[in-house]
Amino acid sequence: MTVEKKEIIELQKDVARKIQEMHLSPNPDSARIFDLNMLDSNLSLFLLAAEFKEDPLKLSAGDKCIIDALKEFRSSSARKTDAETLSKELAASAREILDLLEQAEDRLEGCTETVFCKNIKARLDFAYELLRHIESLQDASKRTVRKWQTEEIPLPLSSAATLLGKARSEKKAKAARENGKKGGRPSRAAPKKSAVQQKKTAAKQKEADPASLKKAAAAKTKEAAPVQAEKKGAPAKAKKAAARKTSASKAPSAKTASSPAKKAK
């Protein structure tokens, strides 16, 4: 059986991960841990012997332990795990980690360092909430698993600051007292505007004021009144001038009136 060095390294990483999971398990199988440790040792010796060899590497009959583990590793890598099965496996792993967190929290009960215990507990609470979210997939329906596959699920907490901000200390209390003596937290002052900006702001406010709008409309009306009066008086003046011309043309001139008298003489 031939194998590449890269595949042996990946197999050794998988074995190390399994050993760690077995140690974290609440009921570890000592025989299984022993077998995995033996396999890890054989893989280390094989890689040490093949350090200066080129791929592909040959596995002999004496490497039966490695060959069996390699076959199982190849079959598990080729097999596709569906989301529903994987969610149940991850939920079981989350449950194991939650048990360890509960044990760690129990150990804080005998701690006399108040601030230290609050800091640790805040972080344990944050991790506990996140892992509880994963553990809920254990009994989740197919619809819920499908939602996890297609949508972005929000975190149960917005950020760690929501928990860490709750932690109180003597230093925080002292700072709060000092700020109280000075009048509390200062208000956020608006940035100062330049003279040009201030004029623009005042002009906009004046335009938006209803009273100023009425005044502006009245001023425009007063300005337009004389112009309109002039426009209305222009036709009347023209009519008067035309009437005068007509009457003047109809009246007899002095020369025309004296001509009959000359003829009578």
Side-chain angles (χ1 to χ4, degrees):
M1 185 178 184
T2 58
V3 65
E4 291 185 358
K5 193 184 297 184
K6 182 180 178 181
E7 192 174 11
I8 293 294
I9 294 172
E10 292 296 325
L11 174 61
Q12 190 175 31
K13 288 180 180 178
D14 184 64
V15 171
R17 181 181 60 79
K18 288 180 179 178
I19 292 172
Q20 186 177 8
E21 287 179 356
M22 292 296 294
H23 281 298
L24 292 173
S25 176
N27 299 314
D29 187 353
S30 56
R32 177 62 176 163
I33 293 174
F34 177 79
D35 293 339
L36 290 172
N37 282 324
M38 287 296 297
L39 176 60
D40 184 56
S41 300
N42 289 335
L43 289 170
S44 298
L45 291 172
F46 181 81
L47 288 172
L48 184 63
E51 185 176 1
F52 301 104
K53 294 181 181 180
E54 294 182 357
D55 290 334
L57 304 174
K58 291 184 179 181
L59 291 169
S60 61
D63 300 320
K64 187 179 182 303
C65 179
I66 297 177
I67 292 172
D68 293 341
L70 189 60
K71 287 180 179 179
E72 184 181 354
F73 178 69
R74 285 177 176 177
S75 62
S76 62
S77 299
R79 186 175 66 251
K80 292 184 179 180
T81 307
D82 60 311
E84 190 174 354
T85 304
L86 183 60
S87 63
K88 293 188 181 301
E89 292 176 359
L90 292 174
S93 301
R95 179 65 262 171
E96 294 175 3
I97 299 172
L98 285 171
D99 293 337
L100 293 174
L101 290 178
E102 289 175 358
Q103 294 175 13
E105 192 171 357
D106 292 339
R107 295 187 61 185
L108 292 175
E109 292 181 359
C111 181
T112 56
E113 297 289 338
T114 308
V115 178
F116 174 78
C117 290
K118 284 183 178 179
N119 287 328
I120 296 295
K121 193 175 183 306
R123 285 156 178 80
L124 288 176
D125 290 342
F126 183 61
Y128 190 83
E129 288 295 327
L130 294 176
L131 289 168
R132 283 282 295 172
H133 214 201
I134 299 175
E135 191 204 12
S136 65
L137 294 173
Q138 180 68 43
D139 301 321
S141 61
K142 291 183 179 181
R143 185 177 179 181
T144 304
V145 176
R146 180 64 180 170
K147 188 177 180 182
W148 277 64
Q149 288 179 276
T150 56
E151 298 179 18
E152 185 177 351
I153 307 299
L155 294 174
L157 293 175
S158 58
S159 64
T162 54
L163 282 174
L164 298 179
K166 294 178 182 178
R168 295 182 180 180
S169 63
E170 183 59 30
K171 189 176 181 180
K172 278 186 178 181
K174 186 178 179 181
R177 287 193 293 269
E178 293 296 328
N179 286 333
K181 291 176 183 178
K182 296 176 183 178
R185 180 180 293 179
S187 60
R188 295 182 181 180
K192 292 184 178 179
K193 296 182 180 180
S194 62
V196 178
Q197 289 177 340
Q198 288 178 0
K199 286 181 180 179
K200 287 182 178 179
T201 305
K204 287 181 180 180
Q205 290 177 354
K206 190 175 181 181
E207 289 176 1
D209 187 13
S212 61
L213 290 174
K214 287 181 180 179
K215 288 181 181 178
K220 286 182 180 179
T221 306
K222 286 180 181 179
E223 291 175 2
V227 178
Q228 290 177 357
E230 288 178 4
K231 287 182 179 179
K232 288 180 180 179
K237 288 180 181 179
K239 286 180 181 180
K240 287 179 180 180
R244 286 173 186 171
K245 285 182 181 180
T246 306
S247 60
S249 62
K250 287 180 179 180
S253 61
K255 290 181 180 181
T256 310
S258 62
S259 59
K262 286 180 180 181
K263 286 180 181 179
K265 289 178 182 181

